Structures are given as structure tokens and as C-alpha cells.
Amino acid sequence: MIELRLLRSFVAVAELEHVGKAATRLHISQSPLSRQIRQLEDALGTALFEREKRRIRITAAGRDLLAPARDLLARADGLVRDAHARATGEAGSIAIGFVSSALTSGVLPAALRTLRRARPKVRIALRQASSREQLGALRAGELDLAVVHRPPRTTDLAVHRLLEQPYVLAVPRDSPLARRPLRAARLDGQVWIAVQAGEADRDRWAAAWGAAGLRPDEVVQVVEWSSALALVDAGVGVALVPASYAATAPAHVVIRRVPWLAMASPLCLVRRRTAAGPLVDDVTGWLLDAARAPRRKKR
């Protein structure tokens, strides 16, 4: 097998037709360079250069070898550059899962802008999914990062809390609740629109409602916060949604603050504890920075 260093020496001599100048380019002395050329000729069984007193000329066999040698060296150098870029996080790919609140809160868009600006060669795969689906994909190696509502109760994953969003109440614009002081007693008898949740989350909701003195008579279950807002817009009932959704409320929806409701919507970043490389570390930092930025603006 021919070593790449021999081909590199051959290309330098072939391009410059001068051993001394080629040695200077390669930062070696002339004697080892001449030995490398002879070693390559011995391996190929043919002369690559015609040697004269003051100069060296490439042979027909050398000309035939020159283009393939350049191509091979370029590809080898490219492989090294690509490997280095991936090792340092300058290139490669990253898969990020997210819930819709990651978008409406502005955290994920801000981090993605930083990622695209700082790492233009990185391929980004995005997947919107429930918190449970994301955690399964994270453990299976299908995701590198997951932005979820509820952090997992486990030790095999690392959890970073991004932010806590207070809930706000979405009510139909033509409802008396859109104008009157919002007390818990006035919410009795309302139809509540709630996003489907696991058993633990349902218990949290029940406890928060109970502490506020609420006893919902009827609950309509939906799968997304946007669906809840659409049903409020249609006059079906009222809904508690994370505060970041206030900006996306439809025209016939009024958003009211409910400071007496002791409950917030968490947004967490989850990743595997095993070493994931500098790219995942960098994106983790940018997500954390993006989560801190809104709080700094409010001061």
C-alpha cells in the first residue's frame, strides 16, 4: 500500500519540477524527499521523473499519476477537515425534539438563530412531539436534545430547567369574564377546555383547581394548546394556557391573568448523561441563554 506522504512528495516535485523547491514547500530537507520519490518509484515499478543535472522532468507515467494523486490527496485532506469539524462541533448534525411551548416562548427560535449563525455547516433535524414521545426518542438515540414540559423522574437523563410560565385564562370576548374582576367563584359552572395530560399532571391540575376553590363541572379534552384557544374563540368554554400563548390568541379571545392560581407550566431541556460532544454542549448553552434572555428584558 502506498503511503499518502509519498504521493504528497511526488505531487510537490511534479508541480515544481525542482527537488529543492519541493522540499521547501514540504518543510523537509532534499535528501529524505529524494528517498521518498525513489521509494514511490520502486513501489510502482516505473520512473516518475527524468533527472538532469540542474532540473527534473516528469515522465509520461508521472503525468498519468499526477491527477489521480491530487484527487486522492484532496479527498484525504477533506476527510481530515470533516472529522476535525465534527469533533469540534463546527459540522455534523443534531436532532432536537420540542413541544409547541418551546416555539411560542421564543426559547427554541432564539437558540436556532444562534446555531445557524454560529454553525452554518451543521444539519439540524427538528421534531415536534409530546414530552413522553421525545423522552423515548432521546433514550433510543433518535434525538440529541428534548425540550419538554415535565422533567422525567429518572437518573439516566440530565435535566435543565429553562423557564416556568404562569398560566393565563383564555375566555371568549363576549363573555362577562372578559370584563369583570376575575375571581375564582365566577368561574364555577364554566366549560373548561384542557390539554390532555398524564395522570401526574391531572393530579396537579386537580390540586391547583381545588386550592383556588374551583370545581369544574365539564372538561373538554384537546391535544394542543392551539386547539384549546380555537375552541375558546368559538365560544365553547374557557382554557388555562401558558402565558407565551397570549400573543397567539385568536381575535375573539381575551387573555386574563390569574395570579391566585398556584400553578405554572415548566419548560425543560433534557439530554443523555453520556458524553454527546461539543455540538450538543453548545446548543445546550444557547438554549439556556435564550431562556434567560426574556427574564433579563423584563427587568
Side-chain angles (χ1 to χ4, degrees):
M1 181 178 293
I2 297 175
E3 298 180 37
L4 289 177
R5 66 186 181 91
L6 301 183
L7 289 177
R8 204 174 298 279
S9 297
F10 159 71
V11 169
V13 175
E15 290 178 344
L16 298 172
E17 292 192 333
H18 195 285
V19 175
K21 292 178 181 179
T24 300
R25 175 193 285 185
L26 298 171
H27 305 289
I28 60 175
S29 61
Q30 293 187 39
S31 294
L33 176 56
S34 296
R35 286 195 298 270
Q36 290 175 15
I37 295 299
R38 285 194 296 270
Q39 185 179 350
L40 179 59
E41 289 176 325
D42 290 342
L44 296 175
T46 186
L48 299 173
F49 298 99
E50 295 175 350
R51 293 161 177 83
E52 301 176 355
K53 285 186 177 180
R54 294 186 175 275
R55 63 178 307 173
I56 187 169
R57 297 182 185 277
I58 192 168
T59 64
R63 285 192 293 272
D64 290 341
L65 178 63
L66 184 56
R70 283 171 171 161
D71 181 63
L72 180 59
L73 290 171
R75 283 186 285 140
D77 291 341
L79 287 173
V80 172
R81 287 193 300 270
D82 290 346
H84 180 265
R86 286 181 171 82
T88 58
E90 294 297 323
S93 61
I94 187 167
I96 305 172
F98 63 95
V99 291
S100 57
S101 292
L103 299 178
T104 57
S105 66
V107 170
L108 183 57
L112 290 176
R113 284 193 295 271
T114 302
L115 170 57
R116 293 176 64 85
R117 182 172 60 250
R119 303 285 189 272
K121 296 181 180 179
V122 168
R123 297 186 302 276
I124 308 169
L126 299 171
R127 182 194 301 185
Q128 183 175 4
S130 68
S131 297
R132 177 177 295 182
E133 290 171 337
Q134 287 186 63
L135 295 178
L138 190 65
R139 290 189 173 97
E142 298 170 5
L143 291 177
D144 298 300
L145 295 171
V147 184
V148 303
H149 284 303
R150 181 59 46 191
R153 296 180 181 179
T154 181
T155 59
D156 65 322
L157 299 173
V159 179
H160 303 270
R161 191 169 290 267
L162 295 174
L163 52 84
E164 293 268 352
Q165 294 188 73
Y167 280 98
V168 293
L169 185 70
V171 301
R173 183 171 294 277
D174 58 1
S175 168
L177 296 173
R179 298 177 297 277
R180 296 179 182 175
L182 197 59
R183 292 191 289 269
R186 287 181 173 162
L187 296 176
D188 279 339
Q190 297 292 325
V191 174
W192 287 84
I193 304 163
V195 173
Q196 290 177 356
E199 184 176 350
D201 285 335
R202 285 196 295 270
D203 291 343
R204 289 174 59 245
W205 279 98
W209 280 342
L214 299 175
R215 299 292 184 271
D217 294 328
E218 184 180 352
V219 177
V220 177
Q221 294 282 346
V222 295
V223 297
E224 294 182 348
W225 299 112
S226 57
S227 299
L229 287 171
L231 290 180
V232 175
D233 186 50
V236 174
V238 301
L240 286 166
V241 299
S244 62
Y245 283 85
T248 67
H252 297 287
V253 173
V254 172
I255 300 295
R256 305 293 306 273
R257 294 184 61 189
V258 280
W260 38 263
L261 182 68
M263 191 174 176
S265 174
L267 194 64
C268 298
L269 173 64
V270 185
R271 53 181 287 182
R272 292 183 294 277
R273 290 191 178 277
T274 53
L279 179 56
V280 172
D281 291 340
D282 288 343
V283 177
T284 296
W286 293 329
L287 283 164
L288 293 171
D289 289 343
R292 287 189 289 264
R295 291 200 291 273
R296 288 198 295 267
K297 290 177 182 178
K298 290 178 182 179
R299 291 175 185 173

